[in-house]
Amino acid sequence: MIAIQILEQVINGLLVGAYYLLIALGLSLIFSLGGLVNLAHGAFYALGAYFAVKLADALGFGGVLLVSPVLVALVGLIIERFLFRRFYHEDPALGLLLTFGLAMVAEQTLRVVFGAAPLPFSIPEVLKGQLLVGDFIYSKYRLVMLAIAALAVAALWFLLQRTPFGRVVRAG
């Protein structure tokens, strides 16, 4: 019984670690490519979550998995074009202040638009329930999220290590 509880906690830790890893990889890529520490990175992550919650009824779970990151990328491209680009060759402290201010503005804007209370997000029927293996019980949804995070990390590794674009990124 103790071994099962340890296994559940290890998988929980892997899942939370995978979420943090994805956020950290994005932050690291932005810093390595632009030399800008983006303190607003968490706000972009939150914006993606709000997009997913608001679009879930119209697009379904699979749709928001695809559309939400694209929408955040478009917002990111606009902000990069009109704000970040000006600070790439400036004192790093200026970029740090810009992204800190952007994070504060984004956080308060999200709070005004969506409220401070947590928003419900329903799990699709196919992912509801648990996986039962002997005495081991674990949420199907969490296992799928862990698999998606692992696939995203593997895809990023492939992009950076095995493509011409990745060679350019690593050279930078």
Side-chain angles (χ1 to χ4, degrees), residues 41-51 110:
H41 193 72
F44 287 106
Y45 187 79
L47 183 62
Y50 281 112
F51 281 153
L110 289 172

Side-chain angles (χ1 to χ4, degrees), residues 37-60:
V37 177
N38 185 5
L39 295 178
H41 193 72
F44 287 106
Y45 187 79
L47 183 62
Y50 281 112
F51 281 153
V53 167
K54 289 301 181 182
L55 295 173
D57 290 338
L59 301 176

